[in-house]
Amino acid sequence: MEAKELDFKGFKVNGFLALFFHLVVLTAVIIFGFITCVPTLVLSVFLTVVWLILFAGYMQLEPNEARAMVFFGKYKGTFKETGFFWVNPFLDKKKLSLRARNLDINPIKVNDKIGNPILIGLVLVWKLKDTYKAMFEIDAQTMADSAATPRNANQVSVGNAVASRMNAFENFVKIQSDAALRQVAGQYAYDDNETNTDEMTLRSGGEEINEQLEQKLNERLAMAGMEVVEARINYLAYAPEIAAVMLRRQQASAIISAREKIVEGAVSMVKMALHKLSEEEIVELDEEKKAAMVSNLLVVLCADEAAQPVVNTGTLNH
């Protein structure tokens, strides 16, 4: 049977009611302490021990917080009810945060589908989904304990312990995000300069690439009880060593595309001019004159600089 998260079904009491009982025990300790007979002194010592033990049972939970309840190494369930409570003081109450957390992955260098080195970065939103897997399927507790220095390891507060534990989870997410990002980036080319225009690329993929990245991350983080709410590529560029070359290639592609549009428009204009001259019978041109006119118009229309007109004041042939 696969182990999974369970709701805590153990004994629990309203914290304020337990606090009232705590005060009653303290009152009894004081009263019996003033009685000098042996039985009352023994009872007073016993109640003092009980009074001290009761302190370990109090806990407070805010919205989107949880406690993994462990009784001498045995998982007893996860407590998620918000409020102030008292439970068995011998339970180890490991506090966890179920709130969403941001993670910004710095750009890493990977090779795309055609082998070009690129820099790609990621930002994601994640949160804990299964507290049992997060606590006991990965070694987050050891990682969290190693974050504390030996000098103050025994003096770490509950808040610092939770922060260390969540930082260990975040480190796990970061490493898995790096692996998933490399896997997705390696399946596609950066752009379509050297691939078929119908094939999806990292630049043109957009939401589809982000969805695949989110899916890969959820597959990797499922074993740790974590869920990716959203994942997006927030940085994409060629690596510095080829960025200048790729920029020149992009500029050349842009120039070629622009030239194609210019030539296409020039041919259309020449065709229109010849049609108008013939239709309105402005002048009759033989094939040689048409060729000369087409050549001159194309030079004028396709030139980078403005044409310098030469006015012919002689005959049509000279």
Side-chain angles (χ1 to χ4, degrees), residues 153-188:
N154 295 326
Q155 301 175 359
V156 176
S157 65
V158 175
N160 290 336
V162 176
S164 298
R165 194 173 294 127
M166 296 307 296
N167 287 337
F169 294 151
E170 185 172 293
N171 184 60
F172 183 87
V173 174
K174 183 177 180 180
I175 294 174
Q176 294 301 320
S177 300
D178 187 292
L181 188 58
R182 291 179 184 275
Q183 181 181 2
V184 173
Q187 295 177 353
Y188 302 97

CSV table of all heavy atoms in Angstrom, one decimal, residues 153-188:
chain,number,residue,atom,x,y,z
A,153,ALA,N,22.7,25.0,16.8
A,153,ALA,CA,21.8,24.0,16.3
A,153,ALA,C,20.7,23.7,17.3
A,153,ALA,O,19.6,23.4,17.0
A,153,ALA,CB,22.5,22.8,15.9
A,154,ASN,N,21.1,23.7,18.6
A,154,ASN,CA,20.1,23.3,19.7
A,154,ASN,C,19.3,24.5,20.1
A,154,ASN,O,18.4,24.4,21.0
A,154,ASN,CB,20.9,22.8,20.9
A,154,ASN,CG,21.6,21.5,20.5
A,154,ASN,OD1,21.1,20.7,19.8
A,154,ASN,ND2,22.8,21.3,21.1
A,155,GLN,N,19.5,25.7,19.5
A,155,GLN,CA,18.8,26.9,19.9
A,155,GLN,C,17.9,27.4,18.8
A,155,GLN,O,17.5,28.6,18.8
A,155,GLN,CB,19.8,27.9,20.4
A,155,GLN,CG,20.6,27.5,21.6
A,155,GLN,CD,21.6,28.5,22.0
A,155,GLN,OE1,21.7,29.6,21.3
A,155,GLN,NE2,22.4,28.2,23.0
A,156,VAL,N,17.7,26.6,17.8
A,156,VAL,CA,16.9,27.1,16.6
A,156,VAL,C,15.5,27.2,17.0
A,156,VAL,O,14.9,26.2,17.5
A,156,VAL,CB,17.1,26.1,15.4
A,156,VAL,CG1,16.2,26.6,14.3
A,156,VAL,CG2,18.6,26.1,15.0
A,157,SER,N,14.8,28.3,16.8
A,157,SER,CA,13.4,28.5,17.1
A,157,SER,C,12.5,27.7,16.1
A,157,SER,O,13.0,27.3,15.0
A,157,SER,CB,13.1,30.0,17.1
A,157,SER,OG,13.2,30.5,15.8
A,158,VAL,N,11.2,27.6,16.4
A,158,VAL,CA,10.3,27.0,15.5
A,158,VAL,C,10.2,27.7,14.2
A,158,VAL,O,10.2,27.1,13.1
A,158,VAL,CB,8.9,26.9,16.2
A,158,VAL,CG1,7.9,26.3,15.2
A,158,VAL,CG2,8.9,26.1,17.4
A,159,GLY,N,10.2,29.0,14.2
A,159,GLY,CA,10.2,29.8,13.0
A,159,GLY,C,11.4,29.5,12.1
A,159,GLY,O,11.3,29.3,10.9
A,160,ASN,N,12.6,29.5,12.7
A,160,ASN,CA,13.8,29.2,11.9
A,160,ASN,C,13.8,27.8,11.4
A,160,ASN,O,14.3,27.5,10.3
A,160,ASN,CB,15.0,29.5,12.8
A,160,ASN,CG,15.2,30.9,13.1
A,160,ASN,OD1,14.8,31.8,12.4
A,160,ASN,ND2,15.9,31.2,14.2
A,161,ALA,N,13.3,26.9,12.2
A,161,ALA,CA,13.2,25.5,11.7
A,161,ALA,C,12.3,25.3,10.5
A,161,ALA,O,12.6,24.6,9.6
A,161,ALA,CB,12.7,24.6,12.9
A,162,VAL,N,11.2,26.0,10.6
A,162,VAL,CA,10.3,26.0,9.4
A,162,VAL,C,10.9,26.6,8.2
A,162,VAL,O,10.9,26.1,7.1
A,162,VAL,CB,8.9,26.7,9.7
A,162,VAL,CG1,8.0,26.8,8.5
A,162,VAL,CG2,8.2,26.0,10.9
A,163,ALA,N,11.6,27.7,8.4
A,163,ALA,CA,12.3,28.4,7.3
A,163,ALA,C,13.4,27.5,6.7
A,163,ALA,O,13.5,27.4,5.5
A,163,ALA,CB,12.9,29.7,7.8
A,164,SER,N,14.1,26.8,7.5
A,164,SER,CA,15.2,25.9,7.0
A,164,SER,C,14.6,24.8,6.3
A,164,SER,O,15.1,24.4,5.2
A,164,SER,CB,16.0,25.4,8.2
A,164,SER,OG,16.7,26.5,8.9
A,165,ARG,N,13.5,24.2,6.8
A,165,ARG,CA,12.8,23.1,6.1
A,165,ARG,C,12.3,23.6,4.7
A,165,ARG,O,12.4,22.9,3.7
A,165,ARG,CB,11.7,22.6,7.0
A,165,ARG,CG,11.1,21.2,6.6
A,165,ARG,CD,10.1,20.7,7.6
A,165,ARG,NE,10.8,20.4,8.9
A,165,ARG,CZ,10.4,20.9,10.1
A,165,ARG,NH1,9.4,21.7,10.1
A,165,ARG,NH2,11.1,20.6,11.2
A,166,MET,N,11.6,24.7,4.7
A,166,MET,CA,11.1,25.2,3.4
A,166,MET,C,12.2,25.6,2.4
A,166,MET,O,12.1,25.4,1.2
A,166,MET,CB,10.2,26.4,3.7
A,166,MET,CG,8.9,26.1,4.5
A,166,MET,SD,7.9,24.8,3.9
A,166,MET,CE,7.4,25.4,2.3
A,167,ASN,N,13.3,26.1,3.0
A,167,ASN,CA,14.5,26.3,2.1
A,167,ASN,C,15.0,25.1,1.5
A,167,ASN,O,15.5,25.0,0.4
A,167,ASN,CB,15.5,27.1,2.9
A,167,ASN,CG,15.2,28.5,3.2
A,167,ASN,OD1,14.4,29.1,2.5
A,167,ASN,ND2,15.8,29.1,4.2
A,168,ALA,N,15.0,24.0,2.3
A,168,ALA,CA,15.4,22.7,1.8
A,168,ALA,C,14.5,22.2,0.6
A,168,ALA,O,14.9,21.7,-0.4
A,168,ALA,CB,15.5,21.6,2.9
A,169,PHE,N,13.2,22.4,0.8
A,169,PHE,CA,12.2,22.1,-0.2
A,169,PHE,C,12.5,22.9,-1.5
A,169,PHE,O,12.5,22.4,-2.6
A,169,PHE,CB,10.8,22.3,0.2
A,169,PHE,CG,10.3,21.4,1.3
A,169,PHE,CD1,9.4,21.8,2.3
A,169,PHE,CD2,10.9,20.1,1.5
A,169,PHE,CE1,9.0,21.0,3.3
A,169,PHE,CE2,10.5,19.3,2.5
A,169,PHE,CZ,9.5,19.7,3.4
A,170,GLU,N,12.8,24.2,-1.3
A,170,GLU,CA,13.0,25.1,-2.4
A,170,GLU,C,14.3,24.7,-3.1
A,170,GLU,O,14.3,24.8,-4.4
A,170,GLU,CB,13.1,26.6,-1.9
A,170,GLU,CG,13.3,27.6,-3.0
A,170,GLU,CD,13.2,29.0,-2.4
A,170,GLU,OE1,12.1,29.4,-1.9
A,170,GLU,OE2,14.2,29.7,-2.5
A,171,ASN,N,15.3,24.3,-2.4
A,171,ASN,CA,16.5,23.8,-3.1
A,171,ASN,C,16.2,22.6,-3.9
A,171,ASN,O,16.7,22.4,-5.1
A,171,ASN,CB,17.6,23.5,-2.0
A,171,ASN,CG,18.9,23.1,-2.6
A,171,ASN,OD1,19.5,23.9,-3.4
A,171,ASN,ND2,19.4,21.9,-2.4
A,172,PHE,N,15.4,21.7,-3.4
A,172,PHE,CA,15.0,20.5,-4.2
A,172,PHE,C,14.2,20.9,-5.5
A,172,PHE,O,14.5,20.4,-6.6
A,172,PHE,CB,14.1,19.6,-3.4
A,172,PHE,CG,13.7,18.3,-4.0
A,172,PHE,CD1,14.5,17.2,-4.0
A,172,PHE,CD2,12.5,18.2,-4.7
A,172,PHE,CE1,14.1,16.0,-4.6
A,172,PHE,CE2,12.1,17.1,-5.4
A,172,PHE,CZ,12.9,15.9,-5.3
A,173,VAL,N,13.3,21.9,-5.4
A,173,VAL,CA,12.6,22.4,-6.5
A,173,VAL,C,13.5,23.1,-7.5
A,173,VAL,O,13.4,22.9,-8.7
A,173,VAL,CB,11.5,23.4,-6.1
A,173,VAL,CG1,10.8,24.0,-7.3
A,173,VAL,CG2,10.4,22.7,-5.2
A,174,LYS,N,14.5,23.8,-7.0
A,174,LYS,CA,15.4,24.5,-7.9
A,174,LYS,C,16.2,23.5,-8.7
A,174,LYS,O,16.4,23.7,-9.9
A,174,LYS,CB,16.3,25.4,-7.0
A,174,LYS,CG,17.3,26.2,-7.9
A,174,LYS,CD,18.2,27.1,-7.0
A,174,LYS,CE,19.1,27.9,-7.8
A,174,LYS,NZ,20.0,28.8,-6.9
A,175,ILE,N,16.7,22.4,-8.1
A,175,ILE,CA,17.5,21.5,-8.9
A,175,ILE,C,16.7,20.7,-9.9
A,175,ILE,O,17.1,20.5,-11.0
A,175,ILE,CB,18.2,20.5,-7.9
A,175,ILE,CG1,19.2,21.2,-7.0
A,175,ILE,CG2,18.8,19.3,-8.6
A,175,ILE,CD1,19.7,20.3,-5.9
A,176,GLN,N,15.5,20.3,-9.5
A,176,GLN,CA,14.6,19.7,-10.5
A,176,GLN,C,14.1,20.6,-11.6
A,176,GLN,O,13.9,20.2,-12.7
A,176,GLN,CB,13.4,19.1,-9.7
A,176,GLN,CG,13.7,18.0,-8.8
A,176,GLN,CD,14.4,16.8,-9.4
A,176,GLN,OE1,14.0,16.4,-10.5
A,176,GLN,NE2,15.4,16.2,-8.7
A,177,SER,N,14.0,21.9,-11.3
A,177,SER,CA,13.6,22.9,-12.3
A,177,SER,C,14.7,23.0,-13.3
A,177,SER,O,14.4,23.2,-14.5
A,177,SER,CB,13.3,24.2,-11.6
A,177,SER,OG,12.2,24.1,-10.7
A,178,ASP,N,15.9,23.0,-12.8
A,178,ASP,CA,17.1,23.1,-13.7
A,178,ASP,C,17.1,21.9,-14.7
A,178,ASP,O,17.3,22.1,-15.9
A,178,ASP,CB,18.4,23.1,-12.9
A,178,ASP,CG,19.6,23.4,-13.7
A,178,ASP,OD1,20.0,22.5,-14.5
A,178,ASP,OD2,20.2,24.5,-13.6
A,179,ALA,N,16.8,20.7,-14.2
A,179,ALA,CA,16.8,19.5,-15.0
A,179,ALA,C,15.7,19.6,-16.0
A,179,ALA,O,15.9,19.2,-17.2
A,179,ALA,CB,16.8,18.3,-14.2
A,180,ALA,N,14.5,20.0,-15.6
A,180,ALA,CA,13.4,20.0,-16.5
A,180,ALA,C,13.5,21.1,-17.6
A,180,ALA,O,13.2,20.9,-18.7
A,180,ALA,CB,12.1,20.3,-15.7
A,181,LEU,N,14.1,22.2,-17.2
A,181,LEU,CA,14.4,23.3,-18.2
A,181,LEU,C,15.4,22.8,-19.2
A,181,LEU,O,15.2,23.1,-20.4
A,181,LEU,CB,14.9,24.5,-17.4
A,181,LEU,CG,15.1,25.8,-18.2
A,181,LEU,CD1,13.7,26.2,-18.8
A,181,LEU,CD2,15.6,26.9,-17.4
A,182,ARG,N,16.4,22.1,-18.8
A,182,ARG,CA,17.4,21.6,-19.8
A,182,ARG,C,16.7,20.6,-20.7
A,182,ARG,O,17.0,20.5,-22.0
A,182,ARG,CB,18.5,20.9,-19.1
A,182,ARG,CG,19.4,21.9,-18.4
A,182,ARG,CD,20.6,21.2,-17.7
A,182,ARG,NE,21.4,22.1,-16.9
A,182,ARG,CZ,22.4,22.9,-17.4
A,182,ARG,NH1,22.7,22.8,-18.7
A,182,ARG,NH2,23.0,23.7,-16.6
A,183,GLN,N,15.8,19.7,-20.2
A,183,GLN,CA,15.1,18.7,-21.0
A,183,GLN,C,14.2,19.4,-22.0
A,183,GLN,O,14.3,19.0,-23.2
A,183,GLN,CB,14.3,17.8,-20.1
A,183,GLN,CG,13.6,16.7,-20.8
A,183,GLN,CD,12.8,15.8,-19.9
A,183,GLN,OE1,12.7,16.0,-18.7
A,183,GLN,NE2,12.1,14.8,-20.4
A,184,VAL,N,13.4,20.3,-21.6
A,184,VAL,CA,12.5,21.0,-22.6
A,184,VAL,C,13.3,21.8,-23.6
A,184,VAL,O,13.0,21.8,-24.8
A,184,VAL,CB,11.5,21.9,-21.8
A,184,VAL,CG1,10.6,22.7,-22.8
A,184,VAL,CG2,10.6,21.0,-20.9
A,185,ALA,N,14.3,22.6,-23.2
A,185,ALA,CA,15.0,23.4,-24.1
A,185,ALA,C,15.8,22.6,-25.1
A,185,ALA,O,15.9,23.0,-26.3
A,185,ALA,CB,16.0,24.3,-23.3
A,186,GLY,N,16.2,21.4,-24.8
A,186,GLY,CA,16.9,20.5,-25.7
A,186,GLY,C,16.0,19.9,-26.8
A,186,GLY,O,16.5,19.3,-27.8
A,187,GLN,N,14.7,20.0,-26.7
A,187,GLN,CA,13.8,19.4,-27.6
A,187,GLN,C,13.4,20.4,-28.7
A,187,GLN,O,12.8,19.9,-29.7
A,187,GLN,CB,12.5,19.0,-26.9
A,187,GLN,CG,12.7,17.8,-25.9
A,187,GLN,CD,11.5,17.5,-25.1
A,187,GLN,OE1,10.4,18.1,-25.3
A,187,GLN,NE2,11.5,16.4,-24.4
A,188,TYR,N,13.7,21.7,-28.6
A,188,TYR,CA,13.3,22.6,-29.6
A,188,TYR,C,14.5,23.5,-30.0
A,188,TYR,O,15.4,23.7,-29.2
A,188,TYR,CB,12.2,23.5,-29.1
A,188,TYR,CG,11.0,22.7,-28.6
A,188,TYR,CD1,10.8,22.4,-27.3
A,188,TYR,CD2,10.0,22.3,-29.6
A,188,TYR,CE1,9.7,21.6,-26.9
A,188,TYR,CE2,8.9,21.6,-29.2
A,188,TYR,CZ,8.7,21.3,-27.9
A,188,TYR,OH,7.7,20.5,-27.5
